[in-house]
Amino acid sequence: DHLTSFYVPPATGEPKEYPLGSLAAFMAALRGEGGCPWDRQQTHDTLKPYLVEETYEVLEAIESGNMHSLCEELGDLLLQIVFHARIAEEKGYFDLADVVRGITAKMLRRHPHVFGPERADSAADVRRRWEEIKEDEKGGEGGLLDGIPRTLPALVRAERVQERAAQVGFDWPDYRGALAKLEEELTEVRTALEAGDRERVTRELGDLLFATVNVARLVNVEAEGALRQAISKFVRRFTFIEDELKARGKRPGEVSLEEMDAFWEEAKKREKAWKISAMKQEK
């Protein structure tokens, strides 16, 4: 009767089946006769900006800690994958099932410590074996740095290049050597600036950024993530300056640097106080 209730525990054991087929059918309808004019005219090339945009929106959701937003953004990113698979299917190249089968087979090959007889005692062991298997898959063709996409964000690509070189011992023993190189590159930037050589300044600043990534990598800090955090911090503090000035009927361009800097320091103090308060609440 209506007063009866019962508890159904979470399902365990067998993995869930995920209905990707329904999403593939939905995309087929959008691309088919009588579908959406916009979706029908898209190509792999025209969709590239959306794929990049959705990827970064996923990253933003992760950094915000908003799981509802993350779920939504992962769906948007998944739609882009299904979109590309559908376009390829229409041209007879592959379909979504091929994509799923391909990545499943790759994961099986690259996890012999889980699905095979091998053993891995640490994440470092897994990473080393992963790269070895990738090299075997290439059949010895190409150089060590081949396969790193040129379209990666520059900081990420720098980190991947350095990681590959480190696999064959071309690396600093620890962060100290990289830090000394960073200081050397900073000196060279100063020299180039004093000489007024713009082309050289560009080269030396590039070397400085590359050396900075090296230091970050050797202390296990993701350079791209660290820079995003720094940017977010700057935006947050500058927004505080704008809000404080607006409350006084002013704008940033109408006041002195000293006045803006005073509000900047106030923003820093408030952030520090908020962090201390948050830490106390966690304890």
Side-chain angles (χ1 to χ4, degrees), residues 237 240 263-273:
R237 291 176 181 176
F240 176 82
F263 285 125
W264 178 275
E265 292 300 324
E266 177 62 25
K268 289 172 62 175
K269 290 178 182 178
R270 293 194 181 195
E271 285 180 4
K272 184 176 180 180

Side-chain angles (χ1 to χ4, degrees), residues 108-148:
L108 285 170
R109 287 195 309 272
R110 295 189 183 179
H111 290 81
H113 53 289
V114 177
F115 304 108
E118 296 187 18
R119 174 178 173 177
D121 296 321
S122 67
D125 289 341
V126 173
R127 187 64 179 267
R128 175 187 53 77
R129 189 69 181 104
W130 177 283
E131 294 298 336
E132 289 175 353
I133 295 170
K134 283 179 65 176
E135 286 301 308
D136 291 341
E137 290 172 353
K138 289 193 295 186
E141 296 182 0
L144 184 64
L145 304 182
D146 289 350
I148 302 175

Side-chain angles (χ1 to χ4, degrees), residues 139-202:
E141 296 182 0
L144 184 64
L145 304 182
D146 289 350
I148 302 175
R150 295 184 179 183
T151 52
L152 283 174
L155 292 180
V156 176
R157 188 172 181 228
E159 188 173 11
R160 296 294 178 269
V161 166
Q162 292 169 5
E163 288 172 347
R164 291 280 183 90
Q167 291 172 18
V168 293
F170 194 74
D171 199 11
W172 301 101
D174 57 38
Y175 75 90
R176 294 176 182 83
L179 190 60
K181 183 64 175 177
L182 179 62
E183 293 168 348
E184 175 187 325
E185 297 296 350
L186 181 57
T187 298
E188 293 183 3
V189 169
R190 291 194 181 101
T191 301
L193 286 168
E194 291 169 359
D197 187 336
R198 185 174 180 80
E199 184 177 342
R200 184 181 172 190
V201 168
T202 300

Side-chain angles (χ1 to χ4, degrees), residues 6-227:
F6 60 93
Y7 170 70
V8 179
T12 58
E14 293 298 319
K16 294 180 180 179
E17 291 291 332
Y18 300 99
L20 271 179
S22 61
L23 186 56
F26 175 78
M27 181 54 66
L30 289 175
R31 293 274 300 176
E33 292 294 332
C36 173
W38 185 89
D39 290 282
R40 285 168 56 85
Q41 73 178 17
Q42 299 311 306
T43 67
H44 291 303
D45 284 330
T46 63
L47 287 174
K48 287 191 297 185
Y50 303 104
L51 181 60
V52 173
E53 180 181 340
E54 297 300 350
T55 300
Y56 278 102
E57 288 184 1
V58 168
L59 292 176
E60 186 173 341
I62 291 172
E63 291 175 357
S64 72
N66 186 327
M67 291 299 102
H68 175 76
S69 177
L70 177 58
C71 180
E72 180 180 354
E73 298 302 342
L74 285 171
D76 292 343
L77 180 58
L78 178 59
L79 182 64
Q80 290 297 311
I81 295 169
V82 173
F83 210 148
H84 281 280
R86 177 61 195 178
I87 294 173
E89 181 179 358
E90 292 168 358
K91 296 181 178 298
Y93 296 128
F94 61 84
D95 60 18
L96 184 60
D98 294 320
V99 174
V100 174
R101 281 193 293 266
I103 189 59
T104 301
K106 181 187 291 185
M107 291 302 98
L108 285 170
R109 287 195 309 272
R110 295 189 183 179
H111 290 81
H113 53 289
V114 177
F115 304 108
E118 296 187 18
R119 174 178 173 177
D121 296 321
S122 67
D125 289 341
V126 173
R127 187 64 179 267
R128 175 187 53 77
R129 189 69 181 104
W130 177 283
E131 294 298 336
E132 289 175 353
I133 295 170
K134 283 179 65 176
E135 286 301 308
D136 291 341
E137 290 172 353
K138 289 193 295 186
E141 296 182 0
L144 184 64
L145 304 182
D146 289 350
I148 302 175
R150 295 184 179 183
T151 52
L152 283 174
L155 292 180
V156 176
R157 188 172 181 228
E159 188 173 11
R160 296 294 178 269
V161 166
Q162 292 169 5
E163 288 172 347
R164 291 280 183 90
Q167 291 172 18
V168 293
F170 194 74
D171 199 11
W172 301 101
D174 57 38
Y175 75 90
R176 294 176 182 83
L179 190 60
K181 183 64 175 177
L182 179 62
E183 293 168 348
E184 175 187 325
E185 297 296 350
L186 181 57
T187 298
E188 293 183 3
V189 169
R190 291 194 181 101
T191 301
L193 286 168
E194 291 169 359
D197 187 336
R198 185 174 180 80
E199 184 177 342
R200 184 181 172 190
V201 168
T202 300
R203 289 199 310 270
E204 298 301 346
L205 281 172
D207 291 344
L208 180 65
L209 290 169
F210 192 81
T212 301
V213 173
N214 232 345
V215 174
R217 178 180 59 85
L218 289 167
V219 295
N220 296 315
V221 171
E222 181 199 3
E224 185 78 14
L227 181 56

